[in-house]
Amino acid sequence: MAETLRSWPVPAELAEDIVLAASELVTNAVEHGHGEVEIALRLTGGVVRLSVRDEADAEPVRRHPDEHSPRGRGLALIEAISAAWGHHRAGSGKWVWAEFRFG
């Protein structure tokens, strides 16, 4: 993924955020979903869309952990570093996506 981002005209700092977001979304898919996990990356104009699919039907839940909680900040982080994020059903499962804008 990092190599693909380097081959696109994506600023280095934004590429780092996208890789971090991918790590968070894949971790969520592994920990809270089930089945195969897929990653898709698409560049359209000045927007990179990162999508991660798992085979669970459960919708992602943005948590609001207190300052002492060691977990539960993944989607809050995605919300903070991306321009937008969301999810949609895909057969038996879902895609969770985040968009990153530049230019």
Side-chain angles (χ1 to χ4, degrees), residues 3 5-6 18 25 28 33 36 38 42 60 70 75 77 81 83:
E3 185 176 318
L5 291 168
R6 281 192 297 274
I18 295 167
L25 292 179
N28 284 353
E36 295 289 322
E38 296 177 55
R42 185 176 69 212
L75 290 178
L77 175 66
I81 65 175

Side-chain angles (χ1 to χ4, degrees), residues 2-100:
E3 185 176 318
T4 298
L5 291 168
R6 281 192 297 274
S7 74
W8 293 348
V10 176
E13 289 180 7
L14 185 60
E16 290 174 9
D17 285 349
I18 295 167
V19 170
L20 175 60
S23 175
E24 288 295 332
L25 292 179
V26 168
T27 297
N28 284 353
V30 169
E31 289 186 355
H32 304 290
H34 66 271
E36 295 289 322
V37 174
E38 296 177 55
I39 297 177
L41 200 59
R42 185 176 69 212
L43 174 64
T44 305
V47 178
V48 175
R49 185 173 185 139
L50 163 69
S51 301
V52 176
R53 182 185 185 281
D54 65 55
E55 297 177 4
D57 290 329
E59 295 183 4
V61 176
R62 185 184 179 287
R63 300 174 195 256
H64 301 278
D66 65 36
E67 62 191 51
H68 302 292
S69 178
R71 302 179 51 108
R73 292 178 176 78
L75 290 178
L77 175 66
I78 299 299
E79 187 174 284
I81 65 175
S82 69
W85 76 275
H87 70 281
H88 64 274
R89 295 222 180 269
S92 63
K94 67 182 168 304
W95 285 96
V96 181
W97 55 267
E99 291 184 343
F100 299 84

